[in-house]
Amino acid sequence: MIFQDNVIKEYLKNVYFVTGTPCAGKTTISRELAKRHDLSVYDIDEAFEKHQKLSTPAYQPSMNKTFKDADEFFGRTVEEYKQWLISNTREQLDFVLMDLICLSQNQKVVCDCHLMMEQAQMITEPSRVAFLIKEPSNLVDEYCNRPDHQGFSNFIHSASDVEKAKATCSATLQSLNEKSYKDIKNSDFFWLERTLESTVEDTVAQVEKHFGLGKKEFPEADLVLKKVDKNTELAEKLIRFVEQFSWEDVKEHLLHILHTWEYTDWETPFVAMVDGEIAGMVSIMKTDYYPLPEIYPWVSSVFVAEKYRGYRLSERLIGFANTYAKECGFDRTYIPSEHVGLYEKYGYYYLKDIVNYGNGIDRLYVKQLH
């Protein structure tokens, strides 16, 4: 099945792509953008293992190629190594596009990736992609010294001739990115080059301007966070709010809970109000979509109306729910998610994988309430 470019672009209109060459600051900038503008982060490197499990040798041969050790991995020629990396990127792209389409339908996403220019032209508009670049020489030590690349660093240091392995890796990265580096600088795409003078603040500001993500100021006096009680005008208003949900997957289930008021003991929904209008909601629950009665309380049903996104209301709602949970005597709360980089912004950390009632695998996050 082939999807035309205009279809892909339409379904990815809520995705901002931060791409470019290695060690140019893609990860740092994408996460800072997410933090400032309440965006979800999608990191394709972090998703590779999941995609590899879904792949097959027939359709994704490079993703399924195995190596017995570091000597075999780095023993390839520079050209062989380079072509394998290119093939991996191309094969994974189908999985990435499906993930992004699902993730971005009800929220804006920043994707930390390594798209080639021709791929960017096919799947997005120039206004939604930023190329961060760095002169591609002597990259391997900087790459290995990053905390998020310690697995690769340990692997390369397991080679019998570490310096030779590093030389092969460095030559491959330079060969792979030298032409891209020059082509990007000569293209009409937005790009920024990382130098010794580059700062995170300045880079983020320029990428924000390119994406049109101007800083939103939210008048504190206009925002009210409230607990919703049964048989109140606010409860009826919340039902009407949920009826207008764009989050179709949970709408009917949540409406059933609200109509029958299945909340017991300390369970409750909360809302964020702006000028008397509900802007978002969250709930504290004993159970969620998982057969795990021993785990609670859950922070559930986090949703912010489209017109109020970008003001970090999700963070305020989750914080309000956590304050309530602490007042109820709990020292932690849990949030399930299939995504990486979303709830870490709010102080949650990954605990383990869990299976939901539909037999899908999600990630369980926990936060300690201090």
Side-chain angles (χ1 to χ4, degrees):
M1 182 178 291
I2 298 174
F3 294 98
Q4 297 301 322
D5 296 352
N6 65 312
V7 176
I8 297 294
K9 288 179 180 179
E10 174 62 24
Y11 278 88
L12 294 179
K13 63 185 178 183
N14 283 336
V15 180
Y16 301 100
F17 293 90
V18 178
T19 184
T21 60
C23 304
K26 298 187 298 295
T27 298
T28 299
I29 300 306
S30 60
R31 279 152 181 75
E32 186 61 27
L33 284 171
K35 183 176 168 185
R36 294 186 184 193
H37 300 282
D38 202 16
L39 307 176
S40 176
V41 177
Y42 181 85
D43 186 325
I44 68 169
D45 289 335
E46 292 178 346
F48 184 80
E49 186 176 345
K50 178 185 77 171
H51 295 157
Q52 192 176 44
K53 291 177 181 177
L54 297 172
S55 67
T56 65
Y59 292 106
Q60 293 86 23
S62 293
M63 290 179 69
N64 285 273
K65 186 172 178 59
T66 58
F67 303 89
K68 64 181 180 181
D69 54 26
D71 289 337
E72 182 178 0
F73 185 90
F74 295 105
R76 293 173 288 176
T77 66
V78 168
E79 187 60 27
E80 289 171 336
Y81 190 179
K82 182 175 75 170
Q83 291 305 316
W84 176 79
L85 287 172
I86 292 172
S87 295
N88 261 284
T89 300
R90 286 174 178 160
E91 291 172 5
Q92 190 189 6
L93 185 58
D94 289 343
F95 296 105
V96 170
L97 294 179
M98 293 299 102
D99 281 353
L100 288 174
I101 287 172
C102 293
L103 178 60
S104 66
Q105 292 316 293
N106 296 313
Q107 61 184 318
K108 292 187 176 181
V109 178
V110 57
C111 180
D112 175 3
C113 56
H114 30 80
L115 291 176
M116 300 175 187
M117 282 197 298
E118 57 267 29
Q119 292 171 331
Q121 289 170 336
M122 288 189 297
I123 68 174
T124 191
E125 301 294 344
S127 61
R128 294 198 294 270
V129 60
F131 283 89
L132 305 185
I133 60 176
K134 185 177 186 296
E135 201 280 317
S137 60
N138 304 316
L139 294 174
V140 67
D141 284 331
E142 184 175 349
Y143 189 85
C144 288
N145 287 336
R146 286 174 44 175
D148 56 332
H149 289 162
Q150 284 311 294
F152 183 82
S153 178
N154 294 337
F155 182 59
I156 201 169
H157 282 90
S158 70
S160 44
D161 188 336
V162 175
E163 293 309 311
K164 182 179 179 181
K166 283 187 174 183
T168 299
C169 185
S170 184
T172 301
L173 291 175
Q174 183 165 352
S175 175
L176 180 64
N177 292 285
E178 202 162 33
K179 186 175 186 303
S180 295
Y181 170 78
K182 294 176 181 176
D183 288 347
I184 290 166
K185 295 183 79 168
N186 291 321
S187 75
D188 293 328
F189 279 106
F190 172 85
W191 58 270
L192 292 172
E193 182 168 11
R194 183 179 182 182
T195 66
L196 293 176
E197 290 73 40
S198 299
T199 65
V200 172
E201 187 66 31
D202 182 57
T203 302
V204 170
Q206 293 186 65
V207 175
E208 281 178 326
K209 183 177 179 181
H210 171 65
F211 285 155
L213 293 172
K215 186 177 180 182
K216 294 183 178 181
E217 297 293 342
F218 197 91
E220 288 292 319
D222 295 342
L223 175 66
V224 178
L225 300 170
K226 290 185 176 182
K227 176 178 175 291
V228 182
D229 294 318
K230 183 179 180 181
N231 296 329
T232 61
E233 182 180 343
L234 187 56
E236 291 300 317
K237 188 174 284 191
L238 178 56
I239 289 173
R240 293 194 294 273
F241 175 73
V242 174
E243 287 174 343
Q244 303 303 313
F245 258 21
S246 58
W247 192 9
E248 294 292 341
D249 289 347
V250 304
K251 180 192 290 189
E252 293 305 318
H253 175 67
L254 190 51
L255 282 173
H256 173 75
I257 292 176
L258 290 168
H259 279 298
T260 58
W261 204 262
E262 293 185 358
Y263 304 101
T264 61
D265 299 328
W266 41 264
E267 292 182 300
T268 186
F270 306 93
V271 294
M273 306 283 294
V274 178
D275 293 331
E277 180 181 66
I278 295 180
M281 70 164 296
V282 69
S283 299
I284 282 284
M285 305 292 290
K286 292 180 181 177
T287 62
D288 210 318
Y289 188 51
Y290 306 87
L292 298 167
E294 73 280 7
I295 292 178
Y296 61 89
W298 299 83
V299 173
S300 180
S301 308
V302 183
F303 182 82
V304 174
E306 284 79 357
K307 65 184 285 188
Y308 293 108
R309 291 175 186 173
Y311 294 105
R312 303 184 72 171
L313 288 189
S314 293
E315 181 177 12
R316 296 291 299 275
L317 282 161
I318 292 170
F320 194 71
N322 280 329
T323 297
Y324 171 83
K326 186 175 180 181
E327 291 171 352
C328 291
F330 297 107
D331 61 3
R332 68 191 67 187
T333 59
Y334 300 89
I335 292 182
S337 178
E338 60 180 338
H339 307 299
V340 177
L342 178 57
Y343 293 111
E344 290 91 330
K345 296 181 294 182
Y346 310 139
Y348 284 84
Y349 63 88
Y350 168 74
L351 187 62
K352 63 180 180 178
D353 285 349
I354 53 176
V355 180
N356 60 43
Y357 282 116
N359 291 321
I361 304 295
D362 291 320
R363 296 165 64 86
L364 179 63
Y365 291 88
V366 63
K367 178 175 182 175
Q368 302 294 331
L369 306 180
H370 302 296

